[in-house]
Structures are given as C-alpha cells and as structure tokens.
Amino acid sequence: MKKLGIIALAFFIQHVSAQTNRFVYQVTMKPDAENKADIKTENAYLDISPEKSVFYSENRIKRDSIMQKAFQGGGGRGSVSRDQMENLRTNISYSVEKDKTNQKTYLKDRIGRDSYSYEEDRPLNWKISSETTKIGEYKVQKAETDFAGRKWTAWFTTDLPYQDGPYKFGGLPGLIVKVEDDKGDYSFDLMKNFKIAEFPVLNQFGTPIKVKRTDFIKQQQKFKSDPAAFISQSGGQGGLATTMRVGGGRGPGGGGNQNPADMKKRMEERVKEEAKKNSNPIELQ
C-alpha cells in the first residue's frame, strides 16, 4: 500500500508539473501617434508549459469562445449580437508563440482576410543591472534592451521558475514582471497567475501563410496602401493564399447587392481610419 501511495504521489506531481501556467498581464498602449491621450488598456495571457508559451489577447479568446458556441448551437455568426462583440474589441490582434525546444519565437497575425506567421529573426540583447526592487510580492531585478526601434526596461524575478515574458520578450534568468518602453507608449504589467488544464485553441482563420518577417512588413504596407486590391489578389505571395472577394456583406458573394465601387471606397476609408488609430505601433523598425 505504501508503494502504491508513492506511485500515486509521483503521478500527481507529474500531472501538476505538466499543467500550463497562465500569467495575466495588463497591457497599456498609446497606439495613436497624434493622440497620446487616447490610452488603451486590456488584459493579455501568457500561457507557459515546458514545451512552449503563447501570448495573446484575453478578449480574443473570449470572442473565439462566443463564436464557437454560436456555430455549435446552429445559429452561426448572425446569432451573435454586434454589441457583444464590440465590447470585446482588441488592439492585440497578434499572438506570439515561443518554442522552448528550438528557442524560436513566432508571431501570427492577420492582414486583410489572411493569417500570416513569421519567425522573429532579431535577438534580444539584454543589459542586466544590479539594481533590484520589489513589485507586488516579487523581488525583481532590472534589465534593459533596444528592440524594434524602442528602448525597453524590464523587471524580472527569479521567485518563479520561468524564463519568459509577454510579447516577444524573454531570455532573462527569470520571469518578466514588468516591461515598458522609455517613451511610456507601451507597458506590460503582471497582474496574477494560475494554472489551467491545457492551451486553448485560437481561431487562426485558416492555415497561416509562413513568410519572412521583412515580407510580412511589406504585406502590411501593401494592404494599407490598397486594401481592395490586396484582398482581391491571391494573398500577394505568388498564389500562396486563396483568392478572396471584396465584401463581407450578405449573400453568397459576400457583397450582396451593394455597389462594388461603394464597397471598395468604404473599405479603404475603414483601413485608413484603422491605420491612423494605429500609427504608433509597438515595433517602430
């Protein structure tokens, strides 16, 4: 009986250690370069397992859950209230996955109607300071880095057995509790953490198109300059994506009886407005 008890305890410990740990960060952003008073705040999750970690918006997984329940119930997209989805809008459209085994970092995001994925090709070179302080219940140490056109200051703790952080940040000898840029445009602050049974499945809207980071940036620029042409083409990557129709309205063609010229104009206006609201991105280079 004693031997069986030891075996059961071992299995229990193994199960607990294999669980995924969720760290909830409050993300504060000033995405509009011309209106720094417009501050956006939302929560994001950093889910960590021994094999990988994934960083993504809390609102995104809530929206995915609502849509999934609607489709499972047979109601489809039309059964979801517009107000319900509007309340879950997010400024964090991307997700970041870190492969612990291969030490690779991948970003996934949408451009138009296509989903893209690229491997981050710029290393994070941290300068670790001897300066320490306390944030909440954690003793933290200071580190600094230049990344993607911004100077970042991070505070990491060795009180937790993880070497990770929000967004693409990681590579420090501890978990990042806080990281912010020197202009105060973006900050990530750890709020709480708990265990979850497994990673949630994020809706990718089709298989992501794998590209180089530089090509992803080019695709973004193409979409902003001419969104209608971008969507009507085959993804802009030599036919890697399926040809999409401009639209999104009712009817099998996606545009119903709407005038294509009017639809194109509205799309361009919407994209320009979104670009203006996101003229101060987290990555400047």
Side-chain angles (χ1 to χ4, degrees), residues 18-33:
Q19 280 186 317
T20 300
N21 291 267
R22 172 167 291 171
F23 295 87
V24 182
Y25 287 84
Q26 183 181 76
V27 187
T28 305
M29 303 158 277
K30 299 177 183 178
D32 189 339

Side-chain angles (χ1 to χ4, degrees), residues 152-267:
W152 294 91
T153 298
W155 295 91
F156 67 94
T157 182
T158 56
D159 293 347
L160 296 164
Y162 305 100
Q163 297 181 359
D164 210 328
Y167 192 56
K168 297 176 180 178
F169 300 111
L172 287 167
L175 180 76
I176 295 174
V177 173
K178 180 181 180 69
V179 58
E180 62 182 344
D181 75 298
D182 64 342
K183 294 182 175 64
D185 290 343
Y186 287 85
S187 69
F188 302 80
D189 297 86
L190 180 63
M191 306 300 290
K192 59 183 177 180
N193 69 87
F194 50 89
K195 291 186 181 295
I196 59 175
E198 58 186 357
F199 282 95
V201 177
L202 299 177
N203 188 345
Q204 301 293 348
F205 302 96
T207 303
I209 303 166
K210 294 182 179 180
V211 295
K212 292 182 179 179
R213 180 181 60 85
T214 51
D215 291 331
F216 176 82
I217 294 169
K218 289 177 183 176
Q219 294 297 85
Q220 280 185 321
Q221 293 170 343
K222 284 182 181 179
F223 176 67
K224 289 176 182 178
S225 62
D226 195 343
F230 183 93
I231 290 178
S232 67
Q233 293 171 0
S234 299
Q237 282 293 320
L240 287 174
T242 56
T243 302
M244 299 285 187
R245 287 199 182 190
V246 177
R250 297 175 183 175
N257 296 321
Q258 299 178 60
N259 186 309
D262 290 342
M263 289 167 56
K264 179 181 178 182
K265 184 179 179 180
R266 282 198 298 272
M267 177 185 291

Side-chain angles (χ1 to χ4, degrees), residues 4-270:
L4 287 172
I6 293 172
I7 293 172
L9 179 62
F11 273 113
F12 174 76
I13 293 172
Q14 184 179 23
H15 171 71
V16 171
S17 63
Q19 280 186 317
T20 300
N21 291 267
R22 172 167 291 171
F23 295 87
V24 182
Y25 287 84
Q26 183 181 76
V27 187
T28 305
M29 303 158 277
K30 299 177 183 178
D32 189 339
E34 297 180 5
N35 185 12
K36 292 294 186 73
D38 183 20
I39 301 172
K40 307 293 186 184
T41 302
E42 63 179 280
N43 287 345
Y45 295 155
L46 175 64
D47 294 344
I48 305 176
S49 76
E51 296 80 26
K52 68 176 182 178
S53 70
V54 183
F55 180 78
Y56 57 97
S57 164
E58 178 184 69
N59 281 352
R60 175 180 172 179
I61 199 67
K62 287 182 177 179
R63 285 169 67 99
D64 284 358
S65 177
I66 290 171
M67 292 302 298
Q68 185 179 10
K69 288 178 181 177
F71 280 105
Q72 287 176 347
R77 186 182 295 270
S79 65
V80 179
S81 78
R82 188 180 183 87
D83 290 341
Q84 190 177 22
M85 298 301 278
E86 281 293 320
N87 291 334
L88 294 174
R89 285 177 65 88
T90 178
N91 278 71
I92 304 172
S93 61
Y94 57 81
S95 64
V96 177
E97 181 174 325
K98 302 187 186 91
D99 184 327
K100 306 290 186 181
T101 304
N102 299 317
Q103 297 296 303
K104 303 283 189 181
T105 298
Y106 303 93
L107 182 139
K108 295 178 182 178
D109 202 355
R110 292 181 70 188
I111 304 177
R113 295 183 179 180
D114 294 330
S115 179
Y116 289 80
S117 172
Y118 70 81
E119 180 186 334
E120 177 54 58
D121 55 358
R122 298 163 295 179
L124 282 162
N125 298 311
W126 293 101
K127 181 181 178 182
I128 298 178
S129 166
S130 59
E131 184 178 347
T132 61
T133 187
K134 198 166 185 181
I135 298 179
E137 60 185 290
Y138 303 114
K139 179 182 178 182
V140 295
Q141 188 171 347
K142 185 179 180 181
E144 297 175 302
T145 190
D146 292 338
F147 181 71
R150 294 184 185 272
K151 295 182 181 295
W152 294 91
T153 298
W155 295 91
F156 67 94
T157 182
T158 56
D159 293 347
L160 296 164
Y162 305 100
Q163 297 181 359
D164 210 328
Y167 192 56
K168 297 176 180 178
F169 300 111
L172 287 167
L175 180 76
I176 295 174
V177 173
K178 180 181 180 69
V179 58
E180 62 182 344
D181 75 298
D182 64 342
K183 294 182 175 64
D185 290 343
Y186 287 85
S187 69
F188 302 80
D189 297 86
L190 180 63
M191 306 300 290
K192 59 183 177 180
N193 69 87
F194 50 89
K195 291 186 181 295
I196 59 175
E198 58 186 357
F199 282 95
V201 177
L202 299 177
N203 188 345
Q204 301 293 348
F205 302 96
T207 303
I209 303 166
K210 294 182 179 180
V211 295
K212 292 182 179 179
R213 180 181 60 85
T214 51
D215 291 331
F216 176 82
I217 294 169
K218 289 177 183 176
Q219 294 297 85
Q220 280 185 321
Q221 293 170 343
K222 284 182 181 179
F223 176 67
K224 289 176 182 178
S225 62
D226 195 343
F230 183 93
I231 290 178
S232 67
Q233 293 171 0
S234 299
Q237 282 293 320
L240 287 174
T242 56
T243 302
M244 299 285 187
R245 287 199 182 190
V246 177
R250 297 175 183 175
N257 296 321
Q258 299 178 60
N259 186 309
D262 290 342
M263 289 167 56
K264 179 181 178 182
K265 184 179 179 180
R266 282 198 298 272
M267 177 185 291
E268 289 172 347
E269 289 174 349
R270 187 168 65 248

